Amino acid sequence: MRCLSKIFQPVITIPKNAKIKNTEITCKSQKLLLECGLIRPTGPGLFTILPLARRALDKLENLIKSCIEAAGGQRMAVPSLTPATLWDKTGRLQEIGPELIKMEDRHGKKYLLAPTHEEAIADLLADVGPLSYKQLPLLLYQISNKYRDEARPKHGLLRAREFSMMDAYGLHEHEHCARDTYSALTDAYHTLFRTLQLPVHRVEAPSGDMGGPLSHEWQLPAPAGEDAVTVCAACARALPQGGACRTCGGDTAEVHSIEVGHTFLLGSKYSAALAAHCTPSSGPPAPLYMSCYGIGITRLLSASIEALSSDKCLRWPDAIAPYSICIIGPKEGSREWETHGIASISQLYETLEPARPGDVIVDDRHHLTIGKRLMMADRMGYPYIIVMGKAALSDPARYEVYRSCDVTASVQLLTTTELLELLSHKDSQRIKIKNVY
Amino acid sequence: MRCLSKIFQPVITIPKNAKIKNTEITCKSQKLLLECGLIRPTGPGLFTILPLARRALDKLENLIKSCIEAAGGQRMAVPSLTPATLWDKTGRLQEIGPELIKMEDRHGKKYLLAPTHEEAIADLLADVGPLSYKQLPLLLYQISNKYRDEARPKHGLLRAREFSMMDAYGLHEHEHCARDTYSALTDAYHTLFRTLQLPVHRVEAPSGDMGGPLSHEWQLPAPAGEDAVTVCAACARALPQGGACRTCGGDTAEVHSIEVGHTFLLGSKYSAALAAHCTPSSGPPAPLYMSCYGIGITRLLSASIEALSSDKCLRWPDAIAPYSICIIGPKEGSREWETHGIASISQLYETLEPARPGDVIVDDRHHLTIGKRLMMADRMGYPYIIVMGKAALSDPARYEVYRSCDVTASVQLLTTTELLELLSHKDSQRIKIKNVY
């Protein structure tokens, strides 16, 4: 039985206006993640991810993996330590300049800690020699820590200096093949955000210094966002700035938003600079046409919390909550405790575990009242909170079921059969937490 | 259907005595991993892990995760960028000196890229405040890239400068509790290496500068190893140097070996220096008693290849081979091809897939002969190679089944029913590859 008392979750209370490691608390997700014992800063823009947040991150990574692999992605891993000469060749060593973390090895050779890997991928393909057009398109991706020496790291995981990112690179013979991959990845992103039930908007963006003719930002509306997106109040579509919605004619509003992903057609900027060629079906070798796709994983985790949570209570996309189900047994010494005790808790745990394997936790701090533990579970945002209250003594036993996503306003009293039925539905009716204690 | 022709596997042939990125090819695993298109150097001691090796690494990571979590480990993640001041406090900034990769951020603050995280974990626990004895023992672990500026990186992934490592940290009230955790982790390591079917020896080791009273190295015998272990020729136990085997009296021999893991009782060296305390059941707060446990993941991957492979052919522990099953269909234009063609290949794939979900690959390079593809599959070391040769036309169809681990010397001819039966046994009889073409 997985028990909450065994989990390392150093809960703290942050006094108003207090600084943590010289950093101001500037947004909801930062405060909640810190206070609930999910992350801990180790320096400006640097965070230890504690066990419960690490579980959420595992789930998010697996979800991203499956979406990218369904689009044909092959996972690989490029070193973070990147020779500075590669970035010199594309001009980005100067362009990105102070945001790059640079160092020398013991022989004086210069490296940087990569924030992204267009150069490294182009260099790999140059090293491998011209790919035949028959081997294309190719989609390589990795999930790894990236580095950016932000002048002012802020908002916790939303703008960190070491962060987890999925970066995928498409390699193509022609732009039109790259557009096919771009479209497949666009679908993969939509699938991901739909699974997370997050209203992420795809917004046309300037390509900036990246090189190519097409680029989109993927923006999640949230008050702490440093970007902005214009959305239609009626149909919730993202729009170019200004004017009414062309789809439904509704009013538009500009809202703050967080960039959680980016997609680019890159053209041959990197492949030409680093001599990454392909042998086309006819004609001489030519630079590969590249595209690239990024999702900030630690940023998406905190952005989803920023978008879904209240000031007091964490809310997660169901698919990535640290545990799906939290069981709260009776208080030690209560009538329910005396009648059934720990055996009935363990029995309920064993019954529910197969419905969410490895994903059920018991709040075994039985010296605390049910009400106190329910309040804490609500604050943590477990999608299903199951309380063994008075009705657990009736025959058949009934459990109080609270959903952390509020749609209606009452608690359900369910038998184990009904509970298993509820858990078998993916989009079961959601019930608002209302602490009855 | 997963097809080999779509996988990015840049196979090369390395001429004798050739250097790759200024690095000599000094051992079998390095040569095979490079030649088979599994890794690619990006600089001295730096490697891109290509898709097939990344799959093997995923499997190995998952196996390690499950062993460490079964022993009570909670996964977390500490940043790689570590403030240099922390290492100054324990004296290791000087001690390890040139092996540390160091840098300054844009504000001139000094950091290092951590090769291990005793300081960071002690600092975290100091920051969290004294843990109550009731919260102990605690076992925190992570899987992440570590960094070491090796003077002479060599042997490919065996001695790299950026490498993947599992590091776990035990936190205890007393030494005797630490010994219990040490014993649980020892069991976890034994389970891991047994699952990998690797003869890893646990050898008592001096603690060196690490601090504590007890330490073991976990050594895998292999000719390229830079360490040595004395083993009994009769019972295969590791022994202290010199003398006969005390268990069975057999002769002993010293063999080269590779350190794939290390376990330490640390005492309070780090917790005292960094003020990481616990509140014991009685008495004032005192430094935590720490233990730590490491497994070099990329090193273990290459060490297992070093130990199991021949000069010509890769061999993996079954549990981590990039794919479990490789299907080789008939050559285009052959009688078998004309009779059944691609439909029968896809049918066999669908039949076998459920036995090894996501882990079956088809060598769809049908323009190549079966013999050529069988030779390549043997070189790659897929645990099961299934050839649709002449007998696939008989009724019922029979397939040639080759096992990459050689025990007997013949190929088996099996129907799909027999094949599924074979795949359902974990320790099925192993059959030596013998190319009959």
Side-chain angles (χ1 to χ4, degrees):
Chain A
M1 200 160 83
R2 288 160 188 262
C3 293
L4 209 48
S5 68
K6 297 288 168 219
I7 288 182
F8 183 55
Q9 186 190 8
V11 172
I12 51 170
T13 306
I14 303 174
K16 249 195 174 163
N17 302 322
K19 286 193 174 186
I20 305 288
K21 295 257 169 189
N22 291 321
T23 310
E24 279 180 81
I25 307 299
T26 50
C27 73
K28 204 161 59 179
S29 59
Q30 185 187 13
K31 186 164 193 279
L32 285 167
L33 285 166
L34 284 167
E35 290 203 329
C36 293
L38 295 166
I39 64 172
R40 199 88 188 181
T42 65
L46 296 170
F47 297 90
T48 289
I49 311 286
L50 294 167
L52 287 166
R54 182 63 249 189
R55 276 184 64 89
L57 214 51
D58 281 355
K59 291 184 178 185
L60 184 53
E61 282 179 5
N62 285 333
L63 209 52
I64 291 174
K65 271 186 215 176
S66 69
C67 291
I68 302 299
E69 294 191 359
Q74 299 180 46
R75 189 174 180 199
M76 39 104 71
V78 175
S80 290
L81 277 178
T82 308
T85 48
L86 287 187
W87 283 61
D88 204 19
K89 286 184 188 161
T90 58
R92 289 212 290 184
L93 193 62
Q94 297 306 316
E95 272 168 43
I96 304 191
E99 296 220 330
L100 294 173
I101 297 180
K102 305 181 200 84
M103 76 279 305
E104 288 186 6
D105 71 8
R106 61 161 79 206
H107 306 296
K109 198 174 166 195
K110 293 188 164 69
Y111 289 89
L112 55 88
L113 280 176
T116 177
H117 290 267
E118 286 77 15
E119 282 82 354
I121 294 290
D123 184 54
L124 169 70
L125 290 155
D127 182 32
V128 160
L131 291 184
S132 156
Y133 72 97
K134 289 182 196 160
Q135 296 174 270
L136 302 174
L138 203 55
L139 182 66
L140 301 174
Y141 84 98
Q142 58 175 351
I143 288 178
S144 60
N145 282 342
K146 309 293 191 291
Y147 298 84
R148 191 178 287 277
D149 198 355
E150 295 280 354
R152 277 169 297 280
K154 65 187 287 201
H155 289 345
L157 294 183
L158 286 177
R159 187 173 290 282
R161 297 199 292 171
E162 177 171 332
F163 51 95
S164 169
M165 192 170 145
M166 185 295 295
D167 46 330
Y169 303 87
L171 305 156
H172 320 273
E173 187 181 356
H174 300 300
E175 181 176 328
H176 67 85
C177 326
R179 285 185 182 267
D180 289 344
T181 301
Y182 196 90
S183 158
L185 267 291
T186 300
D187 292 346
Y189 276 41
H190 280 306
T191 303
L192 172 69
F193 297 124
R194 199 165 51 237
T195 307
L196 294 171
Q197 299 186 288
L198 291 174
V200 174
H201 298 289
R202 175 172 176 262
V203 186
E204 258 188 73
S207 282
D209 300 328
M210 291 295 284
L214 184 66
S215 153
H216 289 91
E217 289 170 359
W218 296 74
Q219 297 277 359
L220 175 63
E226 298 185 9
D227 292 330
V229 59
T230 306
V231 291
C232 171
C235 71
R237 273 170 218 272
L239 305 161
Q241 280 182 311
C245 175
R246 272 191 294 178
T247 310
C248 76
D251 288 339
T252 64
E254 199 178 71
V255 296
H256 287 283
S257 64
I258 300 166
E259 185 189 333
V260 292
H262 213 127
T263 49
F264 291 99
L265 288 184
L266 294 173
S268 58
K269 173 174 170 171
Y270 303 93
S271 52
L274 292 155
H277 293 144
C278 79
T279 316
S281 45
S282 66
L288 287 158
Y289 195 102
M290 290 176 66
S291 57
C292 77
Y293 312 89
I295 295 174
I297 303 180
T298 35
R299 177 181 281 187
L300 177 54
L301 181 89
S302 49
S304 67
I305 289 170
E306 193 65 34
L308 302 176
S309 303
S310 70
D311 282 341
K312 292 272 162 69
C313 294
L314 276 169
R315 288 297 179 264
W316 314 77
D318 275 12
I320 65 167
Y323 286 94
S324 292
I325 300 175
C326 177
I327 298 175
I328 298 177
K331 183 173 188 301
E332 252 169 29
S334 66
R335 194 163 71 89
E336 294 80 6
W337 178 267
E338 298 303 337
T339 314
H340 289 310
I342 200 78
S344 64
I345 301 172
S346 131
Q347 197 183 349
L348 181 61
Y349 177 86
E350 297 300 336
T351 307
L352 299 182
E353 230 278 335
R356 293 288 188 278
D359 218 25
V360 182
I361 186 104
V362 173
D363 188 342
D364 59 333
R365 295 169 298 180
H366 300 295
H367 59 287
L368 302 175
T369 63
I370 287 182
K372 169 86 179 163
R373 281 177 289 155
L374 179 57
M375 198 191 72
M376 292 191 295
D378 182 24
R379 183 161 161 78
M380 270 300 293
Y382 300 111
Y384 295 88
I385 303 170
I386 310 209
V387 170
M388 304 176 72
K390 286 190 178 39
L393 289 183
S394 61
D395 186 17
R398 286 178 187 276
Y399 306 100
E400 299 164 22
V401 180
Y402 299 84
R403 293 298 316 271
S404 74
C405 310
D406 37 4
V407 172
T408 73
S410 61
V411 50
Q412 281 179 297
L413 271 179
L414 302 181
T415 63
T416 43
T417 312
E418 290 162 348
L419 190 44
L420 288 172
E421 169 71 16
L422 175 73
L423 291 171
S424 71
H425 294 300
K426 283 223 156 163
D427 291 311
S428 51
Q429 181 113 62
R430 291 160 164 209
I431 291 156
K432 188 185 172 74
I433 293 277
K434 202 180 131 201
N435 193 331
V436 293
Y437 294 88
Chain B
M1 200 162 82
R2 288 162 187 260
C3 292
L4 209 49
S5 69
K6 297 287 168 219
I7 287 182
F8 183 54
Q9 185 190 8
V11 172
I12 52 170
T13 305
I14 302 174
K16 250 198 172 156
N17 302 322
K19 286 192 175 188
I20 305 290
K21 295 256 170 189
N22 292 322
T23 309
E24 279 180 80
I25 308 299
T26 49
C27 72
K28 206 159 58 176
S29 60
Q30 184 188 14
K31 184 163 196 277
L32 285 167
L33 285 166
L34 283 166
E35 290 203 330
C36 293
L38 295 167
I39 64 172
R40 199 89 188 179
T42 67
L46 296 169
F47 296 90
T48 289
I49 310 285
L50 294 167
L52 287 167
R54 183 63 250 188
R55 278 184 64 88
L57 215 49
D58 282 356
K59 291 184 178 184
L60 184 54
E61 282 179 6
N62 286 333
L63 210 53
I64 291 173
K65 272 186 215 175
S66 69
C67 292
I68 302 298
E69 295 192 358
Q74 299 180 47
R75 189 174 177 196
M76 40 104 69
V78 175
S80 290
L81 278 177
T82 307
T85 48
L86 287 188
W87 282 61
D88 205 17
K89 286 183 188 162
T90 58
R92 289 211 293 184
L93 193 62
Q94 298 305 318
E95 272 168 42
I96 305 192
E99 297 220 331
L100 294 172
I101 298 180
K102 305 182 199 84
M103 76 277 307
E104 288 185 7
D105 72 6
R106 60 160 79 205
H107 306 297
K109 197 173 167 197
K110 292 189 163 67
Y111 290 88
L112 54 89
L113 280 176
T116 178
H117 291 266
E118 287 77 16
E119 281 83 355
I121 294 289
D123 185 54
L124 169 70
L125 290 154
D127 182 32
V128 159
L131 290 186
S132 156
Y133 72 96
K134 290 182 195 161
Q135 293 174 273
L136 302 175
L138 204 56
L139 182 66
L140 301 173
Y141 84 98
Q142 57 176 353
I143 288 177
S144 60
N145 283 342
K146 309 294 189 292
Y147 297 84
R148 191 179 286 277
D149 198 353
E150 296 280 355
R152 276 169 297 280
K154 64 186 289 198
H155 290 343
L157 295 183
L158 286 178
R159 186 174 290 282
R161 296 199 293 172
E162 177 171 332
F163 51 95
S164 169
M165 193 170 144
M166 184 295 295
D167 47 329
Y169 303 88
L171 304 156
H172 320 273
E173 187 183 355
H174 300 300
E175 182 177 324
H176 67 85
C177 326
R179 286 184 181 267
D180 289 344
T181 302
Y182 196 89
S183 157
L185 266 291
T186 299
D187 291 346
Y189 276 43
H190 281 305
T191 303
L192 172 69
F193 297 124
R194 201 169 44 238
T195 307
L196 293 171
Q197 300 186 288
L198 292 174
V200 174
H201 298 288
R202 176 174 176 259
V203 184
E204 259 188 71
S207 281
D209 301 327
M210 291 296 284
L214 184 66
S215 153
H216 289 91
E217 290 171 359
W218 296 73
Q219 296 279 358
L220 175 62
E226 297 184 10
D227 292 330
V229 59
T230 306
V231 290
C232 170
C235 71
R237 275 171 217 271
L239 307 162
Q241 280 182 311
C245 175
R246 272 189 295 177
T247 309
C248 77
D251 287 338
T252 64
E254 199 178 71
V255 296
H256 287 282
S257 64
I258 300 166
E259 184 189 334
V260 293
H262 213 129
T263 50
F264 290 98
L265 287 186
L266 294 173
S268 59
K269 171 174 172 172
Y270 303 92
S271 51
L274 292 155
H277 293 144
C278 79
T279 316
S281 45
S282 67
L288 286 159
Y289 195 102
M290 290 176 65
S291 58
C292 78
Y293 312 89
I295 295 174
I297 304 182
T298 33
R299 177 182 282 189
L300 177 54
L301 181 89
S302 49
S304 68
I305 289 170
E306 192 66 34
L308 301 176
S309 304
S310 70
D311 282 341
K312 292 274 161 68
C313 294
L314 276 169
R315 290 297 178 265
W316 314 76
D318 274 13
I320 66 168
Y323 286 93
S324 292
I325 301 175
C326 177
I327 298 176
I328 298 177
K331 182 173 192 299
E332 253 169 30
S334 66
R335 195 164 71 91
E336 294 80 6
W337 178 267
E338 298 303 337
T339 314
H340 289 309
I342 200 80
S344 63
I345 300 172
S346 134
Q347 198 184 347
L348 180 61
Y349 177 86
E350 298 301 336
T351 307
L352 299 182
E353 230 277 335
R356 294 287 187 283
D359 217 24
V360 182
I361 186 103
V362 173
D363 187 342
D364 60 333
R365 295 170 297 181
H366 301 293
H367 58 287
L368 301 176
T369 62
I370 286 182
K372 169 86 178 163
R373 280 177 289 153
L374 180 56
M375 198 191 71
M376 292 190 297
D378 181 25
R379 182 161 161 79
M380 271 299 293
Y382 300 110
Y384 295 87
I385 303 170
I386 305 191
V387 170
M388 305 175 72
K390 288 192 175 44
L393 289 182
S394 61
D395 188 15
R398 289 179 184 275
Y399 306 102
E400 299 164 22
V401 180
Y402 299 84
R403 293 299 316 273
S404 74
C405 309
D406 36 3
V407 171
T408 72
S410 61
V411 50
Q412 279 180 298
L413 272 179
L414 302 180
T415 62
T416 43
T417 313
E418 290 162 347
L419 191 43
L420 288 172
E421 169 69 15
L422 176 71
L423 291 172
S424 71
H425 294 299
K426 282 220 158 164
D427 290 310
S428 52
Q429 181 113 67
R430 291 165 162 200
I431 289 156
K432 188 184 170 74
I433 293 277
K434 201 181 133 199
N435 193 332
V436 294
Y437 293 90

